[in-house]
Amino acid sequence: MAAMLDELQRRIVSLIPSTSLKNQIKLTNHRLSDADLLSIAYRYATDFDTRIEFLQMLEQHFTGELRDYTSRLIQVQRQMLEVFLEPADNAAYELHIKDTPDAYDERYLCKSFDAALRIIPLFLKEYDCEENALTRYTIVKRRILTEEADFSEDELGELVLLAGMRVYSVKIWSLDHLPEDCSGGQCLECDRPCAACHETVFPQFIRHSDAVKFYDFSGKESYGIAFAPDNLPCSEYYVIPLDSEAVRYHDFANLSNAHRHIPAPLAERIEEETLPKEMRADYKACLQYIWEIR
C-alpha cells in the first residue's frame, strides 16, 4: 500500500511545472497529504482528460468524505463538458484565438461549437500561423438576448483548448461549484474538501532575494525577485516582476505596489546569470536595495 501511495505521489508531483519544487520535494522526501494531492492534480493537470484520469486514481485511493467529494468533482467536470458542447437555439459560441500569450485576441462569433472548431485551422491557414506550446483557443458560450428577454448575464461558460485542439479546461458558471461542499465564500474558515481553494504548504525552495522565473497558466514565462524574508515553507511566493516599472525605473520605494503572489508550483529558482541580459543590472540594483532595508 505504501509503495502504491509513493508511486501515486510521484506521478502527481510530476504535474508540477516547477522543476525546482519537484526536486525539493524529492530531496526532502516531503509527504503530501491526500488533500494536497487532489489540489495539485486538479489545478496542474496538463489537460482535461489527464485531470479526469488523475482524479479517478485518487478516487480509488481515498476513503470517506474525500472520496465522495472527488466522485462528485469528476461527475461535475464531465457534466460541464457535456452542457458546454450541447447545442442550444438561444446560445452562440465566441471563439478567441491567441497563438502566443501576448498576441492580439482575435475573436469570431460562431453559431455552434463545431463551427468554432472549423474556424481554427482556417484562421491558421489564412494568417500563415503555426501552433506552439503556448497557443490557446478560448471558446465562450453566450446566451443570445432577445427583445422579449429580461436582463441576465449572457456568459454561460468557457472552454479552453490547447494546440491540437485538446481540451484543457471547461467551466459552466452555474455548475462550477458543488453547493453541498461549499461554505458560501467563507474559505478561510472552511475545512471541507476543495480542490480549487485548498492551500498546500510546500517545502521551502526559494530564498529571500533569489532570482526567479515564474509562469502563468498560459505557460508564459516572466522573471522576478523573491521577497521571502522568513525563508519558510509556503504555498505561494511574493515576487516583484523585473519588468515592472518599479524595478525598471529603480523606484524601489514602491516595490510593494508591483508585487505578485505566485503559487509555488509556478515558481522556479534560477541563477542570476540565467536572467535575460537586459534585466541583470536592474536585478542587481533591486537586490542591493532589498538587503539594505532588511
Side-chain angles (χ1 to χ4, degrees), residues 75-84 156 171-179:
Q75 180 183 0
V76 169
Q77 286 284 299
R78 288 173 165 161
Q79 183 183 5
M80 288 196 294
L81 181 59
E82 180 180 343
V83 170
F84 190 92
L156 301 171
K171 299 289 185 185
I172 293 292
W173 306 125
S174 61
L175 301 173
D176 190 31
H177 42 277
L178 310 174

Side-chain angles (χ1 to χ4, degrees), residues 99-112:
D99 58 332
T100 66
D102 294 326
Y104 181 76
D105 182 18
E106 304 283 358
R107 294 179 293 176
Y108 300 92
L109 190 62
C110 305
K111 188 174 182 179
S112 67

Side-chain angles (χ1 to χ4, degrees), residues 24-87:
Q24 190 68 7
I25 289 172
K26 182 178 180 180
L27 179 67
T28 60
N29 196 27
H30 181 75
R31 172 62 61 191
L32 294 160
S33 72
D34 285 349
D36 293 337
L37 295 174
L38 175 65
S39 180
I40 293 169
Y42 178 78
R43 298 177 67 186
Y44 300 105
T46 51
D47 56 37
F48 181 86
D49 288 342
T50 302
R51 185 173 298 109
I52 295 297
E53 178 186 353
F54 275 93
L55 291 180
Q56 288 175 321
M57 287 186 216
L58 289 168
E59 179 188 23
Q60 295 304 309
H61 164 70
F62 294 156
T63 59
E65 182 185 18
L66 194 55
R67 180 170 187 167
D68 292 341
Y69 169 82
T70 305
S71 299
R72 292 194 296 274
L73 185 61
I74 294 168
Q75 180 183 0
V76 169
Q77 286 284 299
R78 288 173 165 161
Q79 183 183 5
M80 288 196 294
L81 181 59
E82 180 180 343
V83 170
F84 190 92
L85 298 180
E86 185 178 1

Side-chain angles (χ1 to χ4, degrees), residues 99 120-132:
D99 58 332
I120 291 172
L122 296 178
F123 171 90
L124 297 175
K125 181 178 179 181
E126 176 69 20
Y127 292 102
D128 195 24
C129 298
E130 291 188 3
E131 291 185 329
N132 58 78

